[in-house]
Amino acid sequence: NAGVTQTPKFQVLKTGQSMTLQCAQDMNHEYMSWYRQDPGMGLRLIHYSVGAGITDQGEVPNGYNVSRSTTEDFPLRLLSAAPSQTSVYFCASRSDSRGSTEAFFGQGTRLTVV
Amino acid sequence: AQRVTQPEKLLSVFKGAPVELKCNYSYSGSPELFWYVQYSRQRLQLLLRHISRESIKGFTADLNKGETSFHLKKPFAQEEDSAMYYCALMGGAQKLVFGQGTRLTINP
């Protein structure tokens, strides 16, 4: 059971380049989210999804796009990378069960935009 | 809107001393609150949730709705408690929102 898998682990981009951060989970979780982690800012929610075909914006969505065509995958797209997007990105998933459910995180993608 | 505030970015205590990591939240409804921990070179993981009223690794946290707080406490700190701690709130639309995090260092 792999849990939540993110690829790549490290990436360097030039300003203006585009790329997609991949996130896959094998736990059949309905909810998936993307966060960015910056020093002093904590984890900020970028986009989230409550199921296949449904996405919504979080706290800092500008510059990022997402889609959820399957339950397993939730890719995050940077259309035109900017230095301000240099960060560590985390994907998380959790189930849609009654009560307080645990979120499971990927190992993170460290992105540098130069 | 839902917001989580952790006022201390850094906290340093000696081994055996009590630890308290502060967390305050803002949410108009009935929140679900969590503490997550990230040890060095490990993934972020759940430490405890208020709904379970549990003690994990000696840590406890009590939800105080009057003060809108969910502080994390441990009576006797251990060196292996050194980590980054995040308080989180799940409110409307099933959004899970985190605070700024507190880096806890336990000195020998």
Side-chain angles (χ1 to χ4, degrees), chain B:
Chain B
Q2 52 193 82
R3 180 183 295 272
V4 177
T5 302
Q6 294 178 248
E8 304 141 328
K9 291 184 181 179
L10 303 170
L11 183 62
S12 182
V13 302
F14 286 101
K15 178 182 174 181
V19 174
E20 182 179 43
L21 287 78
K22 292 184 168 51
C23 172
N24 290 92
Y25 68 90
S26 173
Y27 182 60
S28 57
S30 184
E32 294 185 53
L33 286 150
F34 309 80
W35 276 98
Y36 280 79
V37 61
Q38 189 176 28
Y39 300 104
S40 179
R41 292 185 293 278
Q42 292 189 25
R43 300 185 184 209
L44 197 66
Q45 59 188 278
L46 178 68
L47 180 62
L48 55 79
R49 67 197 92 184
H50 91 270
I51 198 169
S52 302
R53 302 184 66 82
E54 57 201 345
S55 174
I56 303 294
K57 298 184 178 183
F59 285 99
T60 59
D62 291 319
L63 177 59
N64 186 322
K65 292 187 177 181
E67 296 182 358
T68 60
S69 68
F70 188 57
H71 303 329
L72 183 68
K73 299 178 183 179
K74 185 170 182 177
F76 306 104
Q78 298 173 293
E79 289 186 63
E80 54 264 34
D81 296 329
S82 293
M84 192 75 175
Y85 291 81
Y86 289 98
C87 182
L89 179 154
M90 188 163 70
Q94 294 290 316
K95 288 199 307 184
L96 185 62
V97 175
F98 287 80
Q100 300 91 328
T102 298
R103 182 169 296 282
L104 176 64
T105 301
I106 308 302
N107 300 304

Side-chain angles (χ1 to χ4, degrees), chain A residues 86-106:
Chain A
T86 293
S87 186
V88 181
Y89 292 85
F90 289 98
C91 178
S93 75
R94 60 187 174 85
S95 68
D96 180 19
S97 300
R98 287 188 176 271
S100 196
T101 61
E102 176 179 359
F104 292 87
F105 284 81

Side-chain angles (χ1 to χ4, degrees), chain A residues 52-100:
Chain A
I54 306 170
T55 64
D56 206 345
Q57 295 181 349
E59 304 166 279
V60 287
N62 292 339
Y64 307 95
N65 282 349
V66 293
S67 60
R68 184 95 180 271
S69 57
T70 67
T71 299
E72 295 77 20
D73 300 297
F74 190 44
L76 178 72
R77 297 183 187 84
L78 285 71
L79 298 179
S80 179
S84 61
Q85 295 178 304
T86 293
S87 186
V88 181
Y89 292 85
F90 289 98
C91 178
S93 75
R94 60 187 174 85
S95 68
D96 180 19
S97 300
R98 287 188 176 271
S100 196

